[in-house]
Amino acid sequence: MTLKDKTTVTFYNGLTTIGGPMIEVAYNKSHILFDLGEVYRPELGLKLEDEDFQTLLKYQLIGDVPNFYDPKVTGKEIDTERWEHAAAFISHLHLDHSKALNLLAPEIPLYAGPITAEMLPALNEKGDFLLPAAGHDKTYTRPIIAAEYKKPIQVGDLTMEVWPSDHDAYGATSLIIKTPDHKKIAFTGDIRLHGYHPDWVHEFLAAAKGSDLFIIEGTGVSWPEEKHDDNSEEFTGPKNEVELTEEIVRLQNINPKRQITFNTYPTNVERLLRIIADSPRKVVLHAARAHLIKRSINEDYPYYYLPGEEKFTDLNPELEVAYEELLHDDHEYLWQAVGDYNHLQEGGLYIHSNAEPLGNFDPAYKPFVENFAQHKIEYKALRCSGHADEKELKEIISEVQPAILAPVHTLHPELEENPYGNRILPKRGETITL
Ligand SMILES: [Zn+2]
């Protein structure tokens, strides 16, 4: 047996930072890379057009991964003698897991769950979501193969399975890789137990049980100093997605004669669909959001345009609601406000549900909130995290009981422990042999 006949795992990026995990599993002449995101560092002030390959490497926004990136981007050929079989995978459509997917060499197949595969080209329609592919217009999104859930995909000697999971990105998935030397490697992607589908998560964890290596995100242990901060909105707000939707319904019921508007994050489609389904009022979306939903899941919902906005040809004209009608309404509609806040009614209610600006760390947040107060509109933040908290992480680990635990995607990987075996804290670029 040579080293080539053993399973190796290399941790290229996204280890002691939140986001951007890039990890390679290899056996003999086959290898798989996951994910293909970019670490989010707004403080660098980089614009999409500044983000050339060398800049991305310099700031460690992506990993320096050999034999996967497009030679047109790196200037280095892929060693096809060493590697006969390659594939890549992205767990979900958040930018810290997907933004660099166009850098993947065109001949290497890229897999994702079906919803992720469908939505990413729609999100990148204007060319402002993903990094551009070499030799293509910025609106181009390279082909993504929609993986059938739980169905084995062969990549040379390696077998991978994509499992539906739960996170605040619609269609989020987890991954299991099996190798010829009977090693099982599981990767959570971003995960939580308090979303709409804890049952899916438990099913994935059962399949991952006894993994030789369990790679887990640890966003929830990143701020140990804030753990007992009972004044934070996270603690006074809803405990899970179901409670969050219930609260939005309750606010409509107790305010029969009051203008109510809201906003959510574009990629959290499921929350929006639940709000639409459960609300006693008729929910009206901004046209851009209605278009994203139409392109992603081919469903039509009532929508409106702000004055002067360009029309989308794929939206059903019968579902358009006049903006003036929304501005004067106080009982019929719950509508998505995305701007022009100064024209909302005094005494109205605006619900900010993990929409942008996301929070205090964004300099735009404070003035955004203050503007509502100035116009005598009640501002209510209703949040629900996409990530498992410390307790949920323990529960997740206890369901898998891995031989080796590798925490990634966290400011404090050392705070995640493995009572069932070893815990490793790999360095950037480090390879381990299983
Ligand atoms: Zn995410």
Side-chain angles (χ1 to χ4, degrees):
M1 212 183 205
T2 66
L3 189 62
K4 275 191 177 172
D5 301 319
K6 290 200 167 200
T7 300
T8 61
V9 182
T10 307
F11 296 84
Y12 284 105
N13 210 30
L15 306 172
T16 53
T17 179
I18 296 170
M22 280 194 172
I23 298 157
E24 176 202 45
V25 172
Y27 180 91
N28 209 332
K29 293 190 170 203
S30 311
H31 63 170
I32 297 171
L33 178 71
F34 49 89
D35 285 326
L36 274 157
E38 182 188 319
V39 175
Y40 182 56
R41 288 185 62 189
E43 77 280 9
L44 294 175
L46 292 174
K47 295 197 187 76
L48 201 54
E49 54 273 21
D50 302 330
E51 297 184 352
D52 59 79
F53 188 64
Q54 292 310 328
T55 305
L56 295 167
L57 289 181
K58 179 176 146 195
Y59 293 109
Q60 305 193 347
L61 303 181
I62 61 170
D64 192 1
V65 187
N67 296 305
F68 275 98
Y69 293 130
D70 187 348
K72 284 206 205 93
V73 170
T74 61
K76 283 183 216 153
E77 287 306 307
I78 287 179
D79 186 349
T80 48
E81 262 170 50
R82 170 68 187 88
W83 301 107
E84 286 177 3
H85 307 278
F89 163 77
I90 44 174
S91 60
H92 65 283
L93 45 70
H94 282 158
L95 288 171
D96 57 326
H97 296 258
S98 68
K99 190 173 171 181
L101 68 87
N102 277 330
L103 303 188
L104 184 66
E107 67 271 25
I108 297 179
L110 172 64
Y111 294 88
I115 293 169
T116 308
E118 196 68 47
M119 276 194 80
L120 276 168
L123 286 162
N124 197 42
E125 202 177 70
K126 289 200 199 130
D128 55 3
F129 198 78
L130 302 173
L131 293 166
H136 288 275
D137 178 67
K138 65 176 186 167
T139 62
Y140 175 79
T141 302
R142 62 101 73 210
I144 307 170
I145 302 169
E148 217 177 292
Y149 290 140
K150 306 178 202 176
K151 197 181 157 197
I153 298 162
Q154 214 59 44
V155 182
D157 290 329
L158 300 168
T159 309
M160 66 177 192
E161 297 164 7
V162 176
W163 285 73
S165 185
D166 194 286
H167 176 49
D168 62 347
Y170 195 39
T173 59
S174 301
L175 183 71
I176 296 176
I177 296 176
K178 291 172 184 161
T179 71
D181 54 346
H182 306 292
K183 301 294 181 195
K184 180 161 79 177
I185 296 127
F187 169 57
T188 57
D190 288 358
I191 201 166
R192 61 178 175 180
L193 291 172
H194 58 269
Y196 296 113
H197 306 290
D199 45 331
W200 295 355
V201 179
H202 292 303
E203 233 189 290
F204 156 69
L205 297 173
K209 188 159 191 202
S211 287
D212 297 277
L213 175 66
F214 185 42
I215 304 165
I216 187 170
E217 69 118 324
T219 311
V221 293
S222 292
W223 302 277
E225 64 283 3
E226 285 178 15
K227 222 160 75 179
H228 302 293
D229 181 5
D230 288 336
N231 297 323
S232 82
E233 280 164 325
E234 302 294 341
F235 282 84
T236 52
K239 283 194 248 347
N240 54 51
E241 289 284 352
V242 172
E243 278 190 24
L244 185 146
T245 324
E246 282 170 2
E247 178 62 11
I248 291 176
V249 170
R250 193 187 70 86
L251 287 168
Q252 292 169 69
N253 287 335
I254 63 168
N255 289 295
K257 257 189 101 55
R258 189 180 190 191
Q259 183 174 61
I260 310 180
T261 55
F262 79 106
N263 199 8
T264 60
Y265 200 71
T267 53
N268 194 346
V269 175
E270 191 150 26
R271 184 180 297 171
L272 185 64
L273 296 180
R274 299 280 173 139
I275 292 170
I276 293 169
D278 293 356
S279 284
R281 293 193 185 196
K282 183 169 168 179
V283 178
V284 181
L285 305 178
H286 180 234
R289 185 69 65 87
H291 166 69
L292 176 66
I293 303 283
K294 176 70 184 172
R295 261 207 71 174
S296 312
I297 57 171
N298 199 26
E299 287 186 23
D300 296 282
Y301 293 102
Y303 64 91
Y304 73 96
Y305 290 102
L306 286 170
E309 280 185 320
E310 210 183 305
K311 308 283 185 243
F312 292 100
T313 52
D314 62 345
L315 296 181
N316 178 353
E318 284 169 24
L319 291 174
E320 183 177 346
V321 179
Y323 184 50
E324 278 302 311
E325 194 178 335
L326 297 173
L327 288 179
H328 292 110
D329 174 74
D330 65 4
H331 65 283
E332 193 178 351
Y333 301 112
L334 168 70
W335 57 282
Q336 187 200 359
V338 297
D340 198 26
Y341 304 107
N342 302 353
H343 286 108
L344 297 179
Q345 294 173 19
E346 259 187 31
L349 171 67
Y350 166 75
I351 302 165
H352 193 67
S353 189
N354 297 96
E356 286 179 305
L358 287 169
N360 272 326
F361 64 89
D362 186 336
Y365 187 72
K366 210 169 157 237
F368 178 79
V369 175
E370 282 169 358
N371 185 46
F372 285 96
Q374 275 158 21
H375 289 87
K376 302 195 171 59
I377 296 157
E378 186 187 348
Y379 173 92
K380 196 167 175 60
L382 275 183
R383 297 183 169 139
C384 181
S385 171
H387 301 279
D389 62 14
E390 188 183 356
K391 192 167 147 275
E392 288 179 1
L393 288 170
K394 285 200 169 107
E395 193 178 333
I396 288 167
I397 294 163
S398 80
E399 288 184 35
V400 175
Q401 309 204 351
I404 304 172
L405 180 79
V408 301
H409 197 295
T410 171
L411 300 180
H412 286 287
E414 76 285 359
L415 295 180
E416 280 188 271
E417 285 165 11
N418 181 14
Y420 315 95
N422 295 332
R423 193 271 319 270
I424 56 167
L425 301 172
K427 299 250 173 341
R428 200 165 172 270
E430 189 176 331
T431 301
I432 62 159
T433 304
L434 290 182

